Amino acid sequence: MPATRRIRFVLVGTQHPGNIGAAARAMKTMGLHRLVLVAPLRALDEDAYRRSAGAEDVLGDAPVFGSLAEAVADCTLVIGCTARSRRVSLEELLPADGGRRALAKAVEPAEVAFVFGRERTGLTNEELQLCHAAVHIPSDPAFSSLNLAAAVQVLAYEVRLAQLTQLQLSESRQAAPQVAGPRESAASHAQLEGMFGQLGEALDDIDFHKGRAPESAMRKLRRLFLRAELSEQEVRLLRGILSDAQRMARLAGKAGS
Ligand code: SAH
């Protein structure tokens, strides 16, 4: 089960069923399916289903609770989304941090909730007290309140980004041994320094610097080779090429003298 299945989006006291539908759609586009409703003012109607536009499954599966406390009872991390910044004494996160923190918890594994308030009045102080942290989308302070489904979209997107970043990381970790070959061990610090020393000499021998100070080019070349995470074999190959370049430079020097 993907970790994102342990992340729920809780809509508290929603007034317009259409917003619930739009929120379901916003979630599904980002691969999130766990919508939870707390005491919606009106039952889901045609408008809700119309605005879910293909996310009827998310809408239909959404459980309804009487209170926020019940809806998040099994959660280890509860993040309240608030249109007004610094209203409560909760740690305030940017959406990206909220997304990352939620995913990290869900991976543990633990249950996580993002909580969204009423269209007109947001979340009550009591409801915010149930949250462990707050997320504020840094909107224009003069016009700070997003439409409920738009706020859901921003947070769902951040969870998605966090998930994609994590996938990329684990793929590149898995791919790393293949880059170096299955049994090739990574070059040691000393082997790399030996190669850099020879590279410096070889560049002198072929008169690469032409009177310029060598430091800047060497810094860039070091960065390039360190980024490549060379294996021992690759260092040997590169040093072989450098040795040949140095030999040819010596021969050319003799021929020219
Ligand atoms: N007038 C209300 C706004 C409610 S908007 C108020 O001032 O609180 C409905 C819900 O969307 C909010 O409760 C919140 O969960 C979410 N939301 C809207 N704008 C947001 C923002 N800038 N940052 C985080 N959440 C936001």
Side-chain angles (χ1 to χ4, degrees):
M1 184 173 80
T4 45
R5 287 270 168 189
R6 285 186 284 275
I7 302 179
R8 71 191 73 169
F9 276 44
V10 183
L11 307 187
V12 181
T14 311
Q15 286 147 325
H16 301 289
N19 278 337
I20 301 178
R25 177 184 185 178
M27 288 172 60
K28 192 170 175 179
T29 56
M30 297 296 132
L32 297 170
H33 296 86
R34 289 193 53 205
L35 176 64
V36 171
L37 306 177
V38 173
L41 246 59
R42 283 166 31 207
L44 295 179
D45 58 8
E46 205 182 307
D47 194 30
Y49 280 95
R50 192 175 49 76
R51 293 197 49 201
S52 75
E56 293 84 4
D57 51 341
V58 174
L59 210 51
D61 287 347
V64 181
F65 290 89
S67 71
L68 178 58
E70 291 169 83
V72 299
D74 57 335
C75 290
T76 309
L77 175 64
V78 180
I79 301 179
C81 300
T82 153
R84 278 167 282 174
S85 179
R86 310 201 186 286
R87 199 178 67 162
V88 279
S89 53
L90 284 176
E91 181 189 8
E92 193 177 291
L93 307 173
L94 283 168
D97 296 321
R100 277 192 292 265
R101 195 158 330 162
L103 189 71
K105 263 281 161 223
V107 165
E108 273 184 19
E111 290 289 325
V112 178
F114 283 101
V115 182
F116 298 84
R118 299 155 188 83
E119 290 91 331
R120 209 164 316 136
T121 52
L123 293 166
T124 63
N125 281 334
E126 293 71 41
E127 285 159 351
L128 277 166
Q129 298 300 327
L130 297 175
C131 301
H132 305 128
V135 164
H136 173 67
I137 300 161
S139 44
D140 185 340
F143 193 67
S144 67
S145 173
L146 279 76
N147 164 267
L148 172 60
V152 166
Q153 184 74 78
V154 171
L155 270 307
Y157 171 68
E158 291 297 352
V159 171
R160 176 99 181 141
L161 268 192
Q163 184 195 17
L164 293 177
T165 308
Q166 197 196 46
L167 269 178
Q168 251 169 14
L169 275 178
S170 63
E171 269 166 22
S172 66
R173 261 187 231 120
Q174 279 166 10
Q178 285 158 19
V179 172
R183 269 188 302 280
E184 289 178 23
S185 48
S188 69
H189 179 74
Q191 285 165 335
L192 285 171
E193 285 308 313
M195 184 190 82
F196 290 138
Q198 187 183 0
L199 178 61
E201 285 164 19
L203 291 179
D204 275 340
D205 293 349
I206 63 170
D207 193 26
F208 174 76
H209 302 300
K210 302 185 185 58
R212 293 180 303 247
E215 286 78 13
S216 159
M218 279 310 293
R219 248 197 325 271
K220 287 181 188 146
L221 287 165
R222 287 179 76 96
R223 203 168 54 205
L224 166 69
F225 286 119
L226 289 175
R227 198 168 63 223
E229 297 179 12
L230 300 173
S231 68
E232 288 182 346
Q233 250 173 309
E234 288 164 336
V235 166
R236 272 200 296 278
L237 175 67
L238 286 167
R239 292 196 70 159
I241 295 171
L242 291 173
S243 296
D244 277 355
Q246 287 178 292
R247 190 168 51 82
M248 296 310 280
R250 271 194 303 275
L251 284 175
K254 273 192 199 137
S257 60

